[in-house]
Amino acid sequence: MTVKIPPPPFQAEADNMTVEDEVEGQGEGEIEQGTTLDDLPTVKEGEQQGEESGGENGFMEMDEGSAAAIATRNAIVRNHHVRMRQRTIQAPTLDADVRVKLREFGEPITLFGEGPGERRERLREMLAQMEVDGVDVSEHAQGKELSPEKEEKQAETFYTESTQALAAARQIIARYSLPQAKLRIAAQKRRREERRELQDRRRQAVERGDVLEEEDPVVRAHADRHHQLAKFSSCSSEIGDSRPLSGISFSPCGSFLATPSWSGLCKIWKAEGCAEQTQLNDHAERCTDARWCPSNLSPFEDGKSTVSVATCSADQTIKLWAMNDEAPLATLTGHTDRVNRLAWHPSGRFVASSSFDASWRLWDVEARKEVLLQEGHTKAVYGIGCQPDGSLLASAGADCGVRVWDLRSGKNIALLQGHVKQVLALDWAADG
């Protein structure tokens, strides 16, 4: 029988290997345990030429046992080199990059019960086998890295020219927020001075040996709040809709509340007794949120056609409503995916919306148009809220981050991280 066997690779580097260390059970019955690679028959250089051995077409003739032994030896040597190379080869560390490489090689992205660590080791073994076979794997050994020029360009802050409407909106927001911030800071300073004076009086009383029974105003405020919360109780209960409710919002006067639902309706209720007042029905999909305008303290005043409530929906629209009209006053369009939440600016002039299109937008209620489209989140934006002063806005979404924006300049002034999953809601403290 004539068997064509090529010369074994890596012969010089594995002279001291033993068969039992590398493969257990391979060649059973043909190779005795403890046999070294030097004991296995090899193809001599002179015999490969065929002229000295007399074989056909330049190959020697050997029996089946010798051919199997040589094939086993070559497999053992190759496996040894693959294992040695696998220990030192570089592979992407991010699981997303590992999945991309496996997809490029046509391999399954995930095997049953396989975790990120096992998936990376499988990729390293594949790269090691390719390198042993003579394939250049340097471009696959690392994840996608940016060159210094591209990295610097990507980290560069860029600005876009604003429209006249946005510039005017920023001026309105600044004129409203600066006096509000001044009043808030003055109140905080006044409370701090009161606490300092109280501490001084207490210290003087201790020096005189007296006991000052005057209570700390902060402690007193917390006690009053706790006393009020302790008196909370359920005064009434009502079925809001035939489908789930997506939110609830009290009017600025506290006398009414709005409940949007998945049926597309937004019902207006009287807080005392939960009596239904009216229904807002114009959305084609489920109504996701409803918010009262903070500047309208009398939403049901006769003959008043001013905006009282803003609603948003999965139909990608925002609608502005007056309580004495059955049809919406305006429909704001621009989002390319369903709208999640709304937030009024404290001035009542603007309303902000968050959406699944990974952006939030600012709308001018008087002009009935969009003045700002703000990107920055990498995934859907859920929660949104304005600071009581009106100078800042916070947005949160499925990218696990909360971003704080300065509405007067348009800058992202803070990125709050810590959540490990999507952030669905947020709110500002009442004291700013």
Side-chain angles (χ1 to χ4, degrees):
M1 177 180 180
T2 302
V3 181
K4 298 182 179 181
I5 300 295
F10 319 110
Q11 178 176 348
E13 300 180 16
D15 289 338
N16 296 324
M17 291 177 52
T18 63
V19 178
E20 61 187 32
D21 293 336
E22 292 298 324
V23 177
E24 181 179 358
Q26 291 191 12
E28 185 176 356
E30 299 176 1
I31 303 175
E32 297 181 357
Q33 187 175 8
T35 304
T36 63
L37 297 177
D38 295 331
D39 299 331
L40 298 176
T42 60
V43 182
K44 298 181 180 180
E45 182 178 357
E47 295 176 343
Q48 292 184 29
Q49 301 300 326
E51 298 175 356
E52 301 178 7
S53 61
E56 297 180 358
N57 299 327
F59 289 92
M60 58 175 277
E61 294 184 1
M62 61 177 64
D63 55 20
E64 294 182 359
S66 298
I70 293 177
T72 302
R73 170 196 170 90
N74 294 345
I76 293 172
V77 174
R78 183 181 185 280
N79 185 44
H80 172 74
H81 281 271
V82 168
R83 290 172 54 188
M84 294 296 294
R85 188 68 188 96
Q86 186 178 351
R87 296 190 185 100
T88 59
I89 197 168
Q90 298 294 325
T93 55
L94 296 179
D95 188 54
D97 293 338
V98 173
R99 291 171 179 265
V100 170
K101 293 301 179 184
L102 290 174
R103 186 181 292 111
E104 290 179 1
F105 295 143
E107 293 291 327
I109 296 177
T110 302
L111 300 179
F112 180 77
E114 185 180 53
E118 293 84 0
R119 188 159 40 247
R120 183 171 182 265
E121 287 301 318
R122 181 158 59 93
L123 176 61
R124 291 179 63 184
E125 182 179 358
M126 289 179 53
L127 295 176
Q129 293 177 355
M130 294 170 60
E131 188 169 276
V132 168
D133 293 338
V135 180
D136 184 12
V137 298
S138 57
E139 60 177 338
H140 302 289
Q142 295 291 343
K144 297 181 179 179
E145 296 183 357
L146 297 176
S147 62
E149 296 80 6
K150 292 184 178 180
E151 186 174 3
E152 181 179 359
K153 184 177 181 180
Q154 187 179 32
E156 180 182 359
T157 303
F158 67 92
Y159 298 92
T160 56
E161 185 177 357
S162 66
T163 61
Q164 293 183 356
L166 177 58
R170 296 197 190 283
Q171 293 176 6
I172 295 173
I173 291 173
R175 286 195 294 267
Y176 176 86
S177 63
L178 291 176
Q180 298 294 325
K182 183 178 180 180
L183 294 175
R184 175 176 55 83
I185 294 174
Q188 291 176 347
K189 288 182 177 180
R190 184 170 58 254
R191 288 194 295 267
R192 186 168 60 248
E193 290 296 331
E194 292 176 355
R195 296 198 68 185
R196 185 179 294 117
E197 293 175 359
L198 176 61
Q199 292 174 357
D200 292 341
R201 291 195 296 272
R202 284 181 174 176
R203 184 172 58 254
Q204 294 172 4
V206 170
E207 293 175 354
R208 295 193 306 266
D210 299 335
V211 178
L212 185 63
E213 297 181 355
E214 186 175 355
E215 190 177 5
D216 190 325
V218 176
V219 176
R220 183 173 62 252
H222 287 177
D224 293 341
R225 185 176 297 112
H226 181 270
H227 181 68
Q228 294 175 358
L229 293 175
K231 296 189 299 182
F232 276 17
S233 63
S234 176
C235 60
S236 61
S237 178
E238 185 68 32
I239 297 177
D241 198 86
S242 59
R243 300 204 64 192
L245 302 181
S246 53
I248 188 169
S249 176
F250 276 91
S251 64
C253 62
S255 300
F256 305 95
L257 56 90
T259 56
S261 71
W262 284 14
S263 65
L265 294 177
C266 178
K267 295 183 180 181
I268 306 299
W269 308 79
K270 194 172 182 179
E272 185 178 356
C274 291
E276 183 178 333
Q277 297 293 108
T278 186
Q279 294 184 4
L280 310 179
N281 182 15
D282 198 57
H283 286 292
E285 293 286 344
R286 59 187 179 274
C287 189
T288 55
D289 198 15
R291 296 291 168 179
W292 295 84
C293 178
S295 60
N296 191 347
L297 301 180
S298 301
F300 281 92
E301 183 177 342
D302 294 337
K304 192 174 183 180
S305 296
T306 56
V307 177
S308 298
V309 176
T311 60
C312 61
S313 170
D315 61 8
Q316 307 175 12
T317 65
I318 301 162
K319 296 183 182 293
L320 306 177
W321 302 83
M323 292 297 96
N324 57 348
D325 293 333
E326 294 182 358
L329 298 177
T331 300
L332 308 178
T333 59
H335 282 291
T336 58
D337 208 333
R338 65 180 183 265
V339 186
N340 293 319
R341 292 290 182 267
L342 297 174
W344 280 92
H345 189 266
S347 65
R349 173 69 182 272
F350 306 98
V351 63
S353 59
S354 62
S355 172
F356 260 76
D357 60 9
S359 73
W360 65 267
R361 307 189 185 214
L362 190 67
W363 309 83
D364 190 335
V365 175
E366 292 185 3
R368 309 288 200 265
K369 66 178 182 180
E370 173 190 310
V371 295
L372 172 64
L373 188 161
Q374 184 63 65
E375 298 175 330
H377 288 274
T378 58
K379 294 183 179 180
V381 184
Y382 286 103
I384 192 168
C386 285
Q387 184 200 29
D389 292 347
S391 58
L392 304 178
L393 181 143
S395 60
D399 55 2
C400 309
V402 178
R403 293 183 178 271
V404 181
W405 310 84
D406 189 341
L407 294 176
R408 300 164 296 184
S409 63
K411 293 182 178 180
N412 180 203
I413 60 175
L415 173 60
L416 311 179
Q417 295 179 315
H419 290 283
V420 296
K421 290 188 176 181
Q422 61 267 28
V423 186
L424 303 180
L426 60 84
D427 201 359
W428 290 86
D431 57 3

